[in-house]
């Protein structure tokens, strides 16, 4: 942390250079300032979170066990459709998700 309170993120890399006999000759240490990368990652996560709130997330999968369904929902899925599914199943799910999204959009206006 700098004196002005700004947090600086760093990456530390240490390499050991060996002699021919396998003993240590010397160390090479590199410290990289990765603050901009961390700030960009945080901005991307915030943007993804906002985007995620506007787009339904649906699992289309062959995993049909109850634990798989629960895992998918725990990851934030809005719906979970297992294979094999019919065209009608898929269309009904899409219609339901889009209808629910319209309600959210109208509420947020």
């Amino acid at each position: 942390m700098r004196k002005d309170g700004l947090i600086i993120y760093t990456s530390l890399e240490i390499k050991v250079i060996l002699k021919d006999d396998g003993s240590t000759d010397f160390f090479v240490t590199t410290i990289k300032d990765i603050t901009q990368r961390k700030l960009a990652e945080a901005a991307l996560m915030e943007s993804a979170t906002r985007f995620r709130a506007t787009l339904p997330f649906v699992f289309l999968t062959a995993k049909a066990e109850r634990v798989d369904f629960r895992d998918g929902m725990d990851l934030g899925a809005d719906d979970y459709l297992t294979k094999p599914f019919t065209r009608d199943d898929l269309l009904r799910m899409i219609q339901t998700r889009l209808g629910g999204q319209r309600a959210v959009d109208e509420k947020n206006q």
Side-chain angles (χ1 to χ4, degrees), residues 48-91:
T49 300
R50 279 188 286 121
F51 181 71
R52 169 72 185 91
T54 64
L55 185 68
F57 173 44
V58 177
F59 267 105
L60 301 177
T61 181
K63 293 187 168 193
E65 298 294 323
R66 182 167 176 73
V67 67
D68 298 320
F69 173 82
R70 187 70 261 147
D71 288 345
M73 299 307 283
D74 288 346
L75 287 171
D78 296 304
D79 210 331
Y80 195 96
L81 191 60
T82 58
K83 297 177 185 178
F85 52 84
T86 65
R87 181 176 185 266
D88 187 54
D89 291 334
L90 182 60
L91 292 175

Side-chain angles (χ1 to χ4, degrees), residues 14-26:
I14 302 171
K15 295 180 183 178
V16 178
I17 307 303
L18 302 176
K19 296 179 185 177
D20 289 339
D21 66 2
S23 63
T24 301
D25 191 13
F26 59 93

